[in-house]
Amino acid sequence: MKPLPKIALVDDSLYAAQAKVYPREIEGRFARLRTLAMFVLLGVFYVFPWLRWDGRQAVLFDLPARKFYVFGLTFWPQDFFWLAWLLIIAGLSLFFFTALAGRLWCGYACPQTVWTEVFLWIERACEGRRNQRIKLDAAPWNAEKLRRKGTKQLLWVGFAAWTGFTFVGFFTPITDLAREAANFSLSGWEAFWIVFYGFATYGNAGFLREQVCKYMCPYARFQSAMFDKDTLVISYDAARGDPRGARKRSADPKALGLGDCVDCEACVQVCPTGIDIRNGLQIECIACAACIDACDDVMDKMDYARGLIGYTTENRRAGKPLHVLRWRTLIYGGLLALLIGTFVWGIVHRAPLILEVLRDRNALYRRGSDGAIENSYTVKLVNKTEVAQRVRLAVADDSSVQIVDARDITLPAGQVTSVPLTLSAPAGHIQGKQTIKLQARSDDDRMAVVQSAQFFAPKEP
Ligand code: SF4
Ligand code: SF4
């Protein structure tokens, strides 16, 4: 038997330790756009729970009562269809905007990006600019390092706790929550979710940062399915930039055999995921456009044209025209417009009154003293408006079927009201089973709703 070949043992490991990324601060048109998006999104998150509307919290997802309040609108469990609709719109928007301009969501609106930016601001305020942070991390522990790092951690934890508190404030009236927190009387669940969400914010935005985008986010994995050669992506113009090399501002790059890239690495230093865009489109790129701002700044200083790194398409780089409107974007855009239009129409035309008719299960029918056939029901009326309503029930499609003891019913605002109902039909008028339509109409005639119910009677010769 032949001896087995010897396996060479090498000292290489598949594991590479993660190098900490120290993104450099950057100014420019895309940085301003990102800051604006951040203020809008964080403003919505931190301010909305404190707004009032008609004497209650403007945005409140009241899970125990199974009602969602969004300014003047109240969503009941029956409206959760629209919530599913909203999720479909969100999913399709992601498809549309990704096909149009790549990872716009990641660069400008993803909570991971937005909160990481805030944590970075705090880090810069406490530990200084990029070089100072690198030096501080490399320095041995001393009082100054302890003070800077300690302050940062305190502010991070405080901000994360505030974020957790705000999150829970969307589900529990936030003023009550604040009172309970001040009196140390939070319920177990409230305390748990504040700590959980705060911890998730701290862990993702302070500790994991770009690792979430690189290794944990599923969107990065399937985004390429939505890309085509006409999708706007951020890329480096290698034909113009290479060969790279340092030179004096006054030097003629052509005479030196160089392209426009001065190899300053500013684009790498500002990158929050620590990649070099000059190596081509990479899965780690979150399209934040910081490298465009950094490179434009360098190009301005060198007196070169801007755009060595910029938004472009694969086709454009190959000298073909830019096609923003194409089948893919038209179909996604058309579907999105249709879904949004239907959503708005549906919300505006939602029935403010719901009527449910439940049959009495104890008896199919009974005969009244005058020989008429009677059926009993329980009627459930849901007043989805914010004011009390008076409604009257009537049989809509068969004038011979009557409501026994018909009277107006008062429905309190935003409440479910159950009332017993008896319908009566002359003997012999209905044979066996018949579907009848019951109508509830408000006394000002502004709301009306119709519901079917079954009426049973004996088959008589
Ligand atoms: S490569 Fe440029 S756009 Fe991509 S993540 Fe880095 S800085 Fe942002
Ligand atoms: S910032 Fe521009 S010039 Fe500097 S290395 Fe990057 S691509 Fe080259």
Side-chain angles (χ1 to χ4, degrees):
M1 189 176 142
K2 270 169 84 181
L4 288 171
K6 280 188 184 160
I7 299 169
L9 290 172
V10 288
D11 200 18
D12 282 350
S13 164
L14 290 176
Y15 174 77
Q18 187 64 39
K20 186 172 173 186
V21 178
Y22 296 87
R24 208 184 84 191
E25 40 294 324
I26 182 70
E27 284 172 10
R29 51 202 168 124
F30 293 108
R32 281 194 291 279
L33 211 59
R34 266 201 322 280
T35 308
L36 180 71
M38 232 176 76
F39 271 104
V40 171
L41 295 170
L42 291 180
V44 166
F45 181 77
Y46 290 102
V47 176
F48 269 27
W50 294 100
L51 300 180
R52 311 285 301 167
W53 191 277
D54 276 347
R56 57 162 170 76
Q57 190 166 316
V59 181
L60 179 68
F61 306 124
D62 190 346
L63 293 179
R66 292 194 284 283
K67 278 194 250 177
F68 287 2
Y69 302 101
V70 181
F71 294 95
L73 300 172
T74 305
F75 292 89
W76 290 70
Q78 293 87 346
D79 298 321
F80 277 29
F81 166 79
W82 294 112
L83 190 66
W85 199 264
L86 205 58
L87 290 176
I88 297 171
I89 289 176
L92 195 64
S93 305
L94 201 62
F95 274 64
F96 175 65
F97 288 109
T98 307
L100 203 62
R103 296 174 71 174
L104 275 185
W105 162 257
C106 299
Y108 296 89
C110 174
Q112 177 63 23
T113 309
V114 171
W115 265 283
T116 300
E117 194 67 31
V118 179
F119 273 64
L120 265 172
W121 277 355
I122 295 173
E123 188 167 271
R124 280 184 200 127
C126 298
E127 297 181 4
R129 299 170 80 84
R130 181 174 188 267
N131 288 345
Q132 292 169 304
R133 298 202 304 274
I134 294 173
K135 260 170 86 179
L136 188 72
D137 276 358
W141 281 98
N142 56 26
E144 176 64 6
K145 184 167 175 175
L146 202 63
R147 185 183 68 76
R148 285 179 179 273
K149 294 266 177 200
T151 314
K152 178 184 84 173
Q153 290 298 335
L154 269 180
L155 290 173
W156 275 6
V157 170
F159 185 69
W162 183 248
T163 306
F165 171 81
T166 307
F167 176 75
V168 176
F170 277 98
F171 298 91
T172 297
I174 201 161
T175 43
D176 296 352
L177 197 67
R179 208 173 307 113
E180 287 169 20
N183 296 330
F184 298 100
S185 58
L186 288 169
S187 74
W189 279 113
E190 286 165 349
F192 169 79
W193 284 112
I194 290 174
V195 171
F196 180 85
Y197 200 79
F199 183 74
T201 306
Y202 175 91
N204 287 333
F207 184 64
L208 291 171
R209 290 192 183 167
E210 78 286 351
Q211 319 267 358
V212 176
C213 312
K214 282 163 110 171
Y215 306 116
M216 294 160 71
C217 176
Y219 172 54
R221 302 291 175 281
F222 67 78
Q223 50 153 335
S224 54
M226 298 171 235
F227 275 46
D228 60 22
K229 290 184 174 178
D230 284 305
T231 298
L232 280 172
V233 288
I234 293 172
S235 78
Y236 164 75
D237 187 350
R240 179 186 150 193
D242 289 354
R244 310 161 193 171
R247 80 292 305 264
K248 284 193 178 140
R249 186 169 176 269
S250 54
D252 176 9
K254 285 199 177 64
L256 296 169
L258 294 172
D260 279 356
C261 176
V262 300
D263 214 8
C264 61
E265 299 223 320
C267 51
V268 182
Q269 290 171 10
V270 296
C271 179
T273 60
I275 59 168
D276 187 342
I277 191 68
R278 295 173 300 171
N279 297 336
L281 186 62
Q282 294 149 71
I283 199 170
E284 294 90 346
C285 175
I286 58 165
C288 67
C291 52
I292 301 182
D293 282 335
C295 191
D296 280 352
D297 193 35
V298 176
M299 293 296 108
D300 289 350
K301 283 182 186 142
M302 295 299 292
D303 225 2
Y304 297 167
R306 286 181 163 198
L308 181 56
I309 299 176
Y311 274 104
T312 189
T313 67
E314 206 182 317
N315 274 341
R316 192 127 191 239
R317 282 271 189 250
K320 295 179 187 165
L322 183 70
H323 282 124
V324 176
L325 294 182
R326 49 197 195 281
W327 280 116
R328 185 184 286 238
T329 50
L330 285 174
I331 291 171
Y332 285 163
L335 272 175
L336 194 58
L338 189 71
L339 286 181
I340 292 174
T342 316
F343 179 79
V344 173
W345 186 90
I347 294 298
V348 170
H349 292 90
R350 264 178 335 142
L353 191 63
I354 295 177
L355 169 67
E356 281 178 23
V357 188
L358 309 170
R359 277 194 56 83
D360 180 358
R361 293 201 184 143
N362 292 328
L364 267 185
Y365 58 84
R366 66 172 177 273
R367 203 175 285 275
S369 52
D370 57 352
I373 306 300
E374 292 181 355
N375 279 206
S376 296
Y377 308 82
T378 300
V379 170
K380 254 191 187 176
L381 286 151
V382 183
N383 175 12
K384 291 160 84 179
T385 68
E386 295 297 302
V387 285
Q389 303 284 348
R390 280 176 74 80
V391 296
R392 175 163 281 245
L393 294 171
V395 178
D397 60 345
D398 189 337
S399 56
S400 62
V401 179
Q402 297 290 325
I403 294 176
V404 177
D405 292 336
R407 66 190 190 287
D408 283 358
I409 305 160
T410 302
L411 308 179
Q415 299 279 329
V416 183
T417 306
S418 293
V419 286
L421 174 82
T422 302
L423 295 181
S424 163
H429 176 73
I430 291 175
Q431 299 282 335
K433 183 172 83 169
Q434 182 176 313
T435 303
I436 48 146
K437 294 216 179 313
L438 203 64
Q439 185 192 57
R441 178 177 286 277
S442 63
D443 57 358
D444 58 4
D445 279 343
R446 286 166 64 181
M447 300 190 307
V449 61
V450 174
Q451 187 61 261
S452 300
Q454 301 295 335
F455 191 98
F456 288 93
K459 286 189 177 163
E460 290 173 1

